[in-house]
Amino acid sequence: MISPSAFRLGLAGSICVAAALMLSFVVPEAFGGWLAGFVFWSGLPFGAMVLVMMIRIIPGRWGEELGRPADAAMLLLPLALIAVLPVLAGLGALYPWAGVTEHGFRAVYLAG
């Protein structure tokens, strides 16, 4: 059961994240911060995933000690998927060339 103080803290954090996301649409340059945050915080689950894949193919006692913490860290992968959604929403603000339709030589060259 979640304690009332933890629930209030989680609710306050969710409200702050929602407000920051809405403000990012007003100031599109703020999506760069979302991208930096995603890259920073997704390093742990993706690094753990690589470590688990290495444990599966390289035998040794080290796998027994690192396997459980790495498996636990991999449980953060769905949160990394949620964290990339604001970045994908502001892709046009981050990269002006995203979604631009080119004509002529550039369209042929970039399509192939």
Side-chain angles (χ1 to χ4, degrees), residues 61-104:
R61 285 189 5 196
W62 66 280
E64 297 170 5
E65 293 185 26
L66 293 177
R68 293 185 88 166
D71 285 335
M74 267 186 25
L75 294 175
L76 296 173
L77 279 171
L79 293 177
L81 176 67
I82 293 170
V84 79
L85 293 178
V87 176
L88 294 176
L91 200 59
L94 287 170
Y95 303 107
W97 48 264
V100 175
T101 56
E102 296 289 337
H103 301 288

Side-chain angles (χ1 to χ4, degrees), residues 20-63:
L21 183 59
M22 286 191 280
L23 286 174
S24 295
F25 286 105
V26 175
V27 182
E29 292 82 18
F31 283 110
W34 286 98
L35 177 63
F38 166 71
V39 168
F40 179 75
W41 289 110
S42 67
L44 178 67
F46 285 119
M49 182 177 64
V50 170
L51 185 61
V52 167
M53 289 189 293
M54 288 174 47
I55 288 172
R56 302 282 193 262
I57 61 172
I58 302 172
R61 285 189 5 196
W62 66 280

